[in-house]
């Protein structure tokens, strides 16, 4: 029996309508038509695709996996039909401009749609995530001719896109890429091997558009010598007609811990005469162009983490309500109870729920900032929103995917021994989640990005803006009656102080001794996720309190929002102080230990 998935529509709706505020979204030029009806209709339909079309294929797809036979990758049964339904519904182009056949909807709506699809069937939905990144890279850096030729089919989903960076010697160190590009008339010939390429080949669509980093003969060393090429699986004529097969093929598929349905390919470019590639962006300007795709995908991978956390939570919660084991501590003479009665199981479930809600609020707030950065008319707010997106991107990628590992594992813990047995399906989110902290730039690389680029480059100004906003919000908590908000006020206040102090410390250290900053970049990123996630959760609690006070009819839902934020304040926010202590003191041993002592 496939494991059901229930789209968390009420939680998503609460963030969009209360935390972001649809009126703010509709105030952006181009989004005037956004209304509650549209949001409910889009999310409701997307929820159906996720729950009724994607989710039922998830565990069967995991068991069967993608297969490479006679040079062709075949997807598990049902995947082609599910992808077709997704494309026919126009979902692939949801946030893309109408110019290219998209729906022109905001990221604030597209991101929740992505969450539901990833939660339902990440093995399939990964393909759609890569498409969006490829579209954005071509739209931003492609020539008019390339856009006309490739975007309509990529936007509709008739074709899919891939990203090709990794080679055996070039993983985190992208500058070590050796794939070659040679000029050939107006085009280029690409030769070399790429490894670990997600959806490098499949049978969902008739064509696949690879974005490939390669090096021209006269290119400088390192990342500054990389150029980005658009390499179609089948060549495309000027009228968009499909031509001959290009010189590119999937050589083998990786055998993986999870994500079995997603084909991870070793790709050979140019075994014969060289694969024909079209330049995207400028020669030697490949990294800038690829970063457009990578930034999109980094946030997308964070959303994959969010989706898997939600999936694991739903499974654990449902199991905890049915599995009978042991007696209630308070009623030792009564019959054994379902495990949700045991305090430690409740603690685990709340740990999962509170982190998911904090992560979701953080991610969707960033989606709104993306919308502002693209649609605001005044330069000031536009730039400020982009700065916020830049600051939050590594946090969303790394904090959400570290959490995904922790929380999907906790889901297995709630199941007990049955969680370790594949038949229950509790292990799949955990296996699928493991790579999220690795691909799209490992979380170590994200922590470095946060500290060295996003913090140090502007002397901590972007972080200071966010901290000032958090400080301004804080007093609103103490004005509320009852001890829930007093607890939130105290713990959030400490977390803000911890983040401010360690942020200033780390900005200083980047200049004095980069290794010291790098040694504690990961706990700093964790601290930032902890504090900023708490900020958004406390805002949600405050809004829920206002709704309760005005007599809203979903009192249980709103009360749970306040209690979840209180749990986060008591159990999660206090870690900020400990993390700040680690940031300031922790680099010494990391750097001093002799290699031989490891
Ligand atoms: C299932 C799967 C799908 C993938 N899909 C794609 C894809 O579609 N396209 C693509 O191009 N690639 C893809 N990848 C590759 C992925 O992006 C890389 O695996 C990842 O970037 C890490 O590179 P690596 O594996 O070589 O690890 P390494 O770079 O060897 O890293 C090993 C360890 O060293 C650490 N490390 C390395 N350098 C530094 C540093 N400077 N500072 C701090 N720590 C460092 C890393 O954080 C990590 O912990 C995929 C990988 C997998 C497993």
């Amino acid at each position: 029996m496939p494991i059901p998935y229930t789209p968390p529509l009420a939680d998503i709706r609460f963030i969009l309508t209360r935390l972001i505020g649809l009126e703010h979204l509709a105030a952006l030029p181009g989004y005037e038509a956004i209304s509650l009806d549209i949001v409910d209709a889009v999310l409701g339909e997307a929820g159906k695709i996720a729950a009724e079309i994607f989710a039922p294929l998830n565990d069967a797809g995991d068991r069967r996996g993608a297969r490479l036979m006679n040079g062709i990758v075949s997807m598990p049964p049902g995947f082609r039909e599910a992808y077709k339904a997704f494309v026919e519904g126009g979902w692939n182009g949801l946030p893309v401009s109408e110019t290219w056949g998209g729906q022109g909807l905001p990221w604030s709506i597209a991101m929740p749609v992505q969450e539901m699809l990833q939660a339902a069937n990440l093995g399939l939905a990964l393909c759609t995530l890569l498409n969006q990144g490829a579209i954005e890279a071509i739209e931003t850096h492609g020539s008019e001719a390339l856009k006309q030729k490739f975007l309509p089919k990529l936007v509709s989903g008739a074709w899919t896109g891939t990203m090709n960076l990794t080679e055996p010697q070039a993983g985190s160190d992208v500058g070590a890429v050796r794939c070659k590009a040679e000029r050939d008339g107006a085009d280029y010939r690409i030769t070399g091997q790429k490894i670990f390429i997600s959806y490098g080949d499949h049978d969902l669509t008739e064509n696949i558009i690879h974005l490939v980093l390669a090096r021209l003969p006269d290119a400088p060393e390192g990342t500054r010598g990389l150029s980005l090429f658009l390499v179609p699986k089948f060549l495309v004529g000027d009228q968009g007609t499909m031509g001959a097969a290009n010189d590119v093929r999937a050589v083998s598929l990786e055998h993986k811990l999870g994500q079995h349905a997603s084909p991870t390919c070793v790709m050979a470019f140019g075994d014969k005469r060289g694969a024909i590639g079209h330049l995207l962006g400028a020669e030697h300007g490949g990294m800038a162009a690829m970063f457009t795709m990578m930034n999109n995908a980094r946030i997308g991978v964070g959303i994959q983490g969010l989706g898997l956390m939600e999936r694991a939570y739903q499974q654990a919660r449902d199991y905890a309500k049915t599995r009978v084991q042991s007696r209630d501590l308070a009623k030792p003479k009564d019959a054994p109870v379902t495990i949700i009665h045991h305090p430690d199981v409740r603690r685990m479930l709340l740990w999962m729920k509170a982190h998911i809600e904090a992560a979701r609020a953080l991610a969707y707030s960033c989606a709104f900032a993306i919308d502002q950065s693209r649609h605001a008319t005044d330069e000031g707010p536009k730039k400020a929103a982009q700065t916020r997106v830049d600051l939050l991107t590594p946090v969303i990628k790394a904090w959400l995917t570290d959490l995904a590992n922790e929380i999907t594992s906790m889901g297995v813990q709630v199941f007990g021994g049955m969680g370790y047995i594949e038949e229950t399906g509790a292990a799949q989110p955990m296996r699928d989640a493991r790579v999220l902290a690795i691909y799209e730039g490992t979380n170590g690389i994200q922590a470095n990005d946060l500290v060295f680029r996003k913090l140090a480059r502007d002397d901590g100004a972007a972080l200071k803006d966010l901290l000032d906003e958090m400080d301004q919000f804080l007093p609103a908590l103490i004005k509320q009656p009852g001890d829930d908000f007093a607890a939130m006020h105290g713990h959030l206040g400490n977390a803000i102080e911890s983040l401010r102090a360690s942020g200033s410390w780390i900005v200083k250290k980047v200049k004095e001794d980069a290794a010291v900053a790098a040694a504690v970049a990961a706990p700093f990123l964790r601290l930032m996720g902890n504090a900023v996630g708490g900020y958004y959760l406390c805002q949600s609690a405050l809004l829920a309190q206002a709704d309760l006070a005005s007599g809203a009819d979903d009192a249980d839902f709103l009360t749970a929002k306040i209690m979840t934020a209180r749990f986060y304040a008591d159990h999660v926010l206090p870690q900020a102080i400990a993390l700040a202590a680690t940031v300031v003191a922790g680099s010494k041993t990391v750097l001093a230990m002799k290699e031989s002592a490891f």
Side-chain angles (χ1 to χ4, degrees), residues 126 130 162-168 170-173 194-199 256 259 262 264 435 438-445 448:
L126 171 58
L130 291 162
T162 69
M163 65 195 303
N164 293 249
L165 294 90
T166 308
E167 298 175 13
S172 301
D173 187 4
K194 295 283 179 184
I195 61 168
F196 295 157
I197 303 309
S198 299
Y199 275 86
K256 311 192 294 277
Q259 299 195 4
S262 153
T264 309
V435 76
I438 296 170
Y439 65 24
E440 215 26 76
T442 65
N443 286 0
I445 297 298
N448 283 349

Side-chain angles (χ1 to χ4, degrees), residues 9 41 102 142 158 188 219 224 323 335 338 382 389 432 439 459 464 486 506 519 524 565:
L9 293 174
Y188 297 80
R224 280 183 307 151
R323 165 74 172 162
T338 49
K382 208 175 166 83
V389 174
D432 285 354
Y439 65 24
D459 273 333
K464 183 179 172 301
I506 217 158
F524 178 79

Side-chain angles (χ1 to χ4, degrees), residues 477 481-489 559 562-563 565-566 569-570:
L477 290 171
D483 67 350
D484 286 338
F485 286 95
M488 286 179 222
H489 179 266
T559 306
I562 298 170
M563 292 180 76
R566 169 73 194 263
D570 289 339

Side-chain angles (χ1 to χ4, degrees), residues 459-489:
D459 273 333
L463 177 64
K464 183 179 172 301
D465 279 351
L466 176 56
L467 283 163
D468 290 349
E469 183 186 309
M470 290 162 74
D471 263 337
Q472 272 167 24
F473 161 77
L474 195 61
L477 290 171
I478 203 69
K479 290 182 190 140
Q480 300 303 314
D483 67 350
D484 286 338
F485 286 95
M488 286 179 222
H489 179 266

Side-chain angles (χ1 to χ4, degrees), residues 347 351 355 491 530 566-575:
R347 180 194 61 79
W351 183 269
H355 276 101
H491 291 301
N530 174 302
R566 169 73 194 263
F567 174 90
Y568 190 97
D570 289 339
H571 286 250
V572 185
L573 279 175
Q575 294 182 350

Side-chain angles (χ1 to χ4, degrees), residues 34 53 213 245 247 258 289 338 342 369 413 421 441 456 503:
I34 297 297
I53 298 181
L213 277 179
D247 189 3
T338 49
H342 301 310
Q413 193 70 19
I421 307 298

Side-chain angles (χ1 to χ4, degrees), residues 99-100 138-139 141-152:
T99 315
W100 305 113
I138 297 171
E139 199 180 0
H141 303 281
S143 65
E144 196 53 33
L146 281 185
K147 288 189 211 177
Q148 295 289 351
K149 201 190 257 192
F150 291 97
L151 276 181

